[in-house]
Amino acid sequence: MYATPHILTSCLIIVLIILVFPLLTTLSPHQRNSDWPLSQVKTSVKIAFFTSMVPLCLFLDEGAEVIVTSWTWMNTLTFDVNISFKFDMYSIIFTPVALYVTWSILEFTSWYMHTDPLVNRFFKYLLTFLIAMIILVTANNLFQLFIGWEGVGIMSFLLISWWYGRADANTAALQAVIYNRVGDIGLIFAMAWMAMNLNSWEMQQVFLTSEDLDLTFPLIGLIIAATGKSAQFGLHPWLPAAMEGPTPVSALLHSSTMVVAGIFLLIRMSPLMEKNPLALTICLCLGALTTVFTATCALTQNDIKKIVAFSTSSQLGLMMVAIGLNQPQLAFLHICTHAFFKAMLFLCSGSIIHHLWDQQDIRMMGGARFLCPTTTTCLGIGSLALTGTPFLAGFFSKDAILEALSNSHLNAWALILTLIATMFTAVYSLRLIIFVALGNPRTPRSIFQMNEVDPAITNPIKRLAWGSILAGLLITSNIIPLKTPEMTMPDEVKTAALMVTLLGFLLALDLGNLTGHQLKSTTQRPVHLFSNLLGFFPPIMHRLSPKLSLSFGQMVASQMTDQTWLEKTGPKAVTSINMSLVTTTSNAQQGLIKTYLALFLVTITLATLLISL
Amino acid sequence: MTPPHFAFSATFILALTGLVFTRTHLLSALLCLEGMMSLFVALSLWALQLDITSFLASPLLLLAFSACEASTGLALLAATARTHGSDRLQSLNLLQC
């Protein structure tokens, strides 16, 4: 009877200790053997995964959740900050998922970054990131969540700029940090509001004491934080730019784990959002806009990693839509299933890139089905899961969200945009497959030297493929839905997502056939340019705004202050006014003093004589 | 015309004539300027004869201003003597601008 909380708590704290242990061993100056990444880091993540299955099974069996408050870190008279972990449904399910995905990615990384001299450091960074993410997910108070939040932000910066000799990588890392910082302002604002008005950062107290308050301000702060971290529209350019980092980084951070931190924050805070229709509407419209905008941008990208990055962004928009529908559990479900197939898509692209000797442009790829069949198969599985093929992983979450959206009495515009984005998902996924896997090789580089013999490539991808197929079914069968889904709806509404996806596939096939014909004499630039240049958002925000600000600053400093106030209204004004007066007066006077004085004399004499006589 | 009236009118007009028709020396112009101080006598008699006490300040004002102008004239004279060597009026045309 008392065993369950003990087992639960112990297992979860052991998971954290297992993950931290390899990091602590790096503090000693003892030289590590070349096997350290595989033997230590990957093994620790594997063991941590299996250890975290125990709480998962306990949760599935008994529904046991636990909150561990271990240490009061700081306290003032009125305000306490504790270290407390919350292992509820969300973190108990997310932790094994994250560990499973990370295990596969680490195994893949040992092959991918094999020739890198600093591979040990790379693994250390990945492990640090994982620990920060687990801290974020299991945080019971906003301070601990903020620690994890900043931790994942910093590790993202360090990992994106892994090849820091490349200028593009540095600018991408700066973009990531700056956009995340803008989002952090929202989080800090929300934390400050809660510290002032609710007197605590512990989530239980926040939920209890905020019953009757007007929560618009902190919720908008949290939405801004999610916009920054989860790359919603407005703060989104960092995510495609983050593809400058190595593929394992993209797979771990920018598809499965870090970018969902913003959505996870909103899921954690969903009891606050339920009663605030303004916040829900903002989430809904922002998510819909994000998903359709990024899907549009993905249609014409030529870099394989950018296509997958935009697909991630689009799915994040879909998660935001789910939150805007007041369905946090569906958003969480999509987080978990999305982690599997998106990480697999990234690993497959990494494998193809390496096999083609670092070729990332899909126009130069083709015929990958001959070269790496396993990878191509899993690419196909991942794309099918992404588009929501029935009964693969993505179907359970995506279809549930779209059904909930269709049956709600909310914004019809958001619904239409989300359906359009679903269609675009099918289009760009099929485009990816056609360009990469079908056809014949278009690369001039020598491709016949590599083969998929190394199990470090195929095993992770196959594991994630199993996850992409089964995860949706497993998770939905085992959790208790918090809100009742809509059970009856018209046939067309029920199959809306499926129909739209099929339409997208047919459209993509038709468009793909058109590439062999030349129907217009010149290229039609405007629409393609809008999509290819990411809607002109980066050129406007990154170039035009700073140029305007800087030129305004220069105008104020040099022209307004120096030239106008200190010169023209000061000395030069005095000079110019006086000079004009002096010139006029000098021109009027001829200087005939004697004549003037003589006349004066005559007048005085005459006047005196006339008066006196 | 009463004799005092004639006296200071004649003094004033004669000094003014001397000021207007100077030919050679700047100093003679300045001396005639001092001769026009009979205006002082005129103002004082005017206020005293007609019993207008508010005008009694005007001779004092005239004295003050005449002191200023006399000093200014002397400074100009000294400057002219320094730059031109003498106070002859013909030499003052050389630096016409």
Side-chain angles (χ1 to χ4, degrees):
Chain A
M1 178 170 46
Y2 297 101
T4 307
H6 288 262
I7 297 177
L8 213 51
T9 314
S10 322
C11 280
L12 289 158
I13 302 291
I14 286 174
V15 163
L16 279 172
I17 293 176
I18 293 175
L19 288 176
V20 172
F21 177 71
L23 279 190
L24 291 178
T25 58
T26 62
L27 289 175
S28 81
H30 166 69
Q31 184 76 10
R32 261 142 292 282
N33 53 355
S34 65
D35 210 27
W36 180 77
L38 264 181
S39 66
Q40 289 273 332
V41 181
K42 189 201 83 164
T43 318
S44 77
V45 174
K46 194 156 101 173
I47 296 176
F49 166 66
F50 285 120
T51 316
S52 69
M53 296 296 285
V54 175
L56 180 64
C57 296
L58 273 174
F59 171 75
L60 293 177
D61 181 44
E62 298 178 18
E65 306 178 355
V66 74
I67 296 175
V68 181
T69 304
S70 54
W71 185 41
T72 303
W73 193 345
M74 302 172 242
N75 53 353
T76 64
L77 273 177
T78 50
F79 196 85
D80 287 350
V81 173
N82 308 319
I83 292 186
S84 60
F85 299 96
K86 179 173 183 167
F87 297 111
D88 67 339
M89 168 178 73
Y90 297 130
S91 39
I92 287 185
I93 296 181
F94 186 77
T95 309
V97 167
L99 287 170
Y100 184 78
V101 170
T102 311
W103 169 28
S104 306
I105 290 175
L106 287 180
E107 198 176 329
F108 181 81
T109 311
S110 67
W111 168 74
Y112 194 81
M113 305 291 288
H114 176 68
T115 54
D116 198 311
L118 293 173
V119 63
N120 287 359
R121 186 186 292 179
F122 191 75
F123 271 81
K124 190 165 85 166
Y125 284 175
L126 284 179
L127 191 60
T128 315
F129 165 79
L130 181 65
I131 294 170
M133 190 69 204
I134 304 273
I135 290 177
L136 195 156
V137 163
T138 58
N140 191 30
N141 56 353
L142 281 175
F143 188 68
Q144 206 167 321
L145 191 138
F146 188 66
I147 293 176
W149 187 274
E150 292 297 310
V152 298
I154 276 295
M155 297 325 292
S156 164
F157 170 74
L158 289 173
L159 284 167
I160 294 174
S161 61
W162 179 253
W163 292 312
Y164 52 80
R166 194 178 143 84
D168 282 340
N170 288 333
T171 52
L174 268 181
Q175 267 186 1
V177 163
I178 292 174
Y179 276 116
N180 274 336
R181 253 302 167 250
V182 174
D184 287 350
I185 296 174
L187 182 58
I188 294 177
F189 174 75
M191 283 171 69
W193 190 94
M194 286 181 191
M196 277 181 2
N197 293 350
L198 304 176
N199 192 33
S200 172
W201 281 332
E202 300 282 324
M203 300 212 178
Q204 283 72 37
Q205 184 166 342
V206 165
F207 294 153
L208 277 176
T209 53
S210 63
E211 292 283 308
D212 300 319
L213 294 177
D214 178 24
L215 289 165
T216 314
F217 284 125
L219 286 175
I220 291 181
L222 291 173
I223 291 173
I224 293 175
T227 311
K229 190 66 92 179
S230 294
Q232 303 297 308
F233 183 78
L235 297 177
H236 66 280
W238 70 270
L239 189 53
M243 296 299 119
E244 293 286 335
T247 308
V249 170
S250 310
L252 186 55
L253 272 75
H254 305 119
S255 62
S256 332
T257 355
M258 181 184 121
V259 290
V260 298
I263 307 286
F264 199 86
L265 173 70
L266 288 180
I267 292 176
R268 273 272 191 256
M269 295 284 149
S270 54
L272 297 179
M273 286 184 62
E274 279 174 348
K275 304 185 196 64
N276 196 324
L278 176 68
L280 290 175
T281 313
I282 292 177
C283 283
L284 187 67
C285 297
L286 188 62
L289 182 62
T290 306
T291 179
V292 82
F293 178 75
T294 49
T296 315
C297 294
L299 290 175
T300 54
Q301 296 300 309
N302 292 317
D303 186 352
I304 187 175
K305 284 178 69 174
K306 285 230 165 37
I307 297 182
V308 189
F310 276 112
S311 144
T312 306
S313 208
S314 187
Q315 299 303 306
L316 289 171
L318 189 64
M319 293 174 205
M320 192 66 131
V321 164
I323 292 181
L325 290 172
N326 207 4
Q327 304 268 3
Q329 213 178 13
L330 290 183
F332 177 72
L333 184 61
H334 198 54
I335 287 179
C336 294
T337 54
H338 174 259
F340 286 104
F341 53 76
K342 197 45 66 70
M344 183 169 73
L345 280 176
F346 268 113
L347 292 191
C348 293
S349 0
S351 165
I352 292 173
I353 289 172
H354 243 46
H355 278 106
L356 293 174
W357 291 101
D358 296 335
Q359 174 65 262
Q360 283 187 294
D361 197 332
I362 59 172
R363 297 170 291 189
M364 305 295 284
M365 297 182 187
R369 69 190 188 282
F370 305 121
L371 182 65
C372 30
T374 314
T375 308
T376 312
T377 317
C378 295
L379 194 69
I381 295 176
S383 298
L384 285 174
L386 172 61
T387 57
T389 310
F391 309 118
L392 291 183
F395 170 73
F396 291 97
S397 47
K398 237 179 140 173
D399 207 59
I401 294 176
L402 285 169
E403 269 180 32
L405 187 54
S406 318
N407 287 314
S408 63
H409 299 287
L410 297 175
N411 216 322
W413 176 76
L415 170 64
I416 294 174
L417 285 187
T418 315
L419 286 175
I420 292 176
T422 314
M423 186 166 76
F424 284 172
T425 308
V427 174
Y428 62 67
S429 298
L430 191 59
R431 177 173 181 259
L432 185 66
I433 304 266
I434 289 177
F435 270 85
V436 169
L438 306 179
N440 291 310
R442 290 183 291 273
T443 171
R445 304 182 190 188
S446 167
I447 60 174
F448 299 107
Q449 299 183 16
M450 282 212 228
N451 231 334
E452 279 180 332
V453 289
D454 195 349
I457 312 171
T458 50
N459 281 347
I461 296 183
K462 280 193 272 196
R463 267 206 299 276
L464 287 176
W466 280 117
S468 308
I469 298 173
L470 297 175
L473 182 61
L474 284 176
I475 299 179
T476 40
S477 339
N478 285 317
I479 58 173
I480 306 169
L482 295 173
K483 297 185 204 280
T484 322
E486 187 73 35
M487 292 295 179
T488 56
M489 60 194 88
D491 290 341
E492 295 84 4
V493 175
K494 180 82 184 168
T495 54
L498 197 55
M499 290 294 125
V500 158
T501 308
L502 282 174
L503 191 62
F505 274 129
L506 290 173
L507 199 64
L509 277 175
D510 205 28
L511 284 172
N513 277 337
L514 280 180
T515 56
H517 314 282
Q518 189 186 10
L519 294 174
K520 297 209 190 277
S521 53
T522 56
T523 55
Q524 305 292 303
R525 295 274 283 169
V527 181
H528 173 86
L529 211 56
F530 179 82
S531 172
N532 202 12
L533 289 182
L534 318 184
F536 307 116
F537 191 93
I540 293 175
M541 290 304 287
H542 298 167
R543 308 240 174 233
L544 185 66
S545 314
K547 175 169 178 269
L548 289 177
S549 315
L550 288 174
S551 58
F552 180 70
Q554 186 190 36
M555 194 268 294
V556 166
S558 69
Q559 287 187 330
M560 194 179 94
T561 317
D562 282 350
Q563 196 185 59
T564 309
W565 287 119
L566 298 180
E567 253 189 50
K568 287 202 175 150
T569 54
K572 290 222 172 133
V574 174
T575 313
S576 60
I577 292 175
N578 278 337
M579 280 304 293
S580 58
L581 291 175
V582 162
T583 333
T584 317
T585 318
S586 309
N587 287 340
Q589 295 175 346
Q590 308 298 316
L592 308 167
I593 297 288
K594 276 226 176 120
T595 317
Y596 302 152
L597 277 179
L599 277 175
F600 179 58
L601 172 67
V602 168
T603 315
I604 290 286
T605 316
L606 275 177
T608 315
L609 286 174
L610 277 174
I611 288 174
S612 59
L613 291 178
Chain B
M1 179 185 301
T2 56
H5 187 186
F6 175 72
F8 58 72
S9 302
T11 317
F12 185 77
I13 290 173
L14 279 175
L16 187 56
T17 317
L19 175 64
V20 168
F21 294 122
T22 63
R23 282 219 196 162
T24 47
H25 288 280
L26 186 61
L27 190 54
S28 55
L30 291 178
L31 284 172
C32 293
L33 211 52
E34 297 308 313
M36 286 163 73
M37 283 305 295
S38 69
L39 211 48
F40 168 75
V41 177
L43 284 175
S44 322
L45 280 179
W46 176 31
L48 286 172
Q49 287 293 93
L50 299 178
D51 280 330
I52 308 170
T53 42
S54 59
F55 287 172
L56 279 173
S58 53
L60 288 173
L61 278 176
L62 180 64
L63 267 186
F65 280 122
S66 85
C68 296
E69 46 114 330
S71 58
T72 312
L74 276 179
L76 277 174
L77 183 68
T80 316
R82 192 173 296 177
T83 52
H84 293 274
S86 73
D87 63 346
R88 287 187 165 266
L89 289 175
Q90 295 104 330
S91 61
L92 286 180
N93 285 336
L94 286 180
L95 287 176
Q96 202 165 13
C97 52

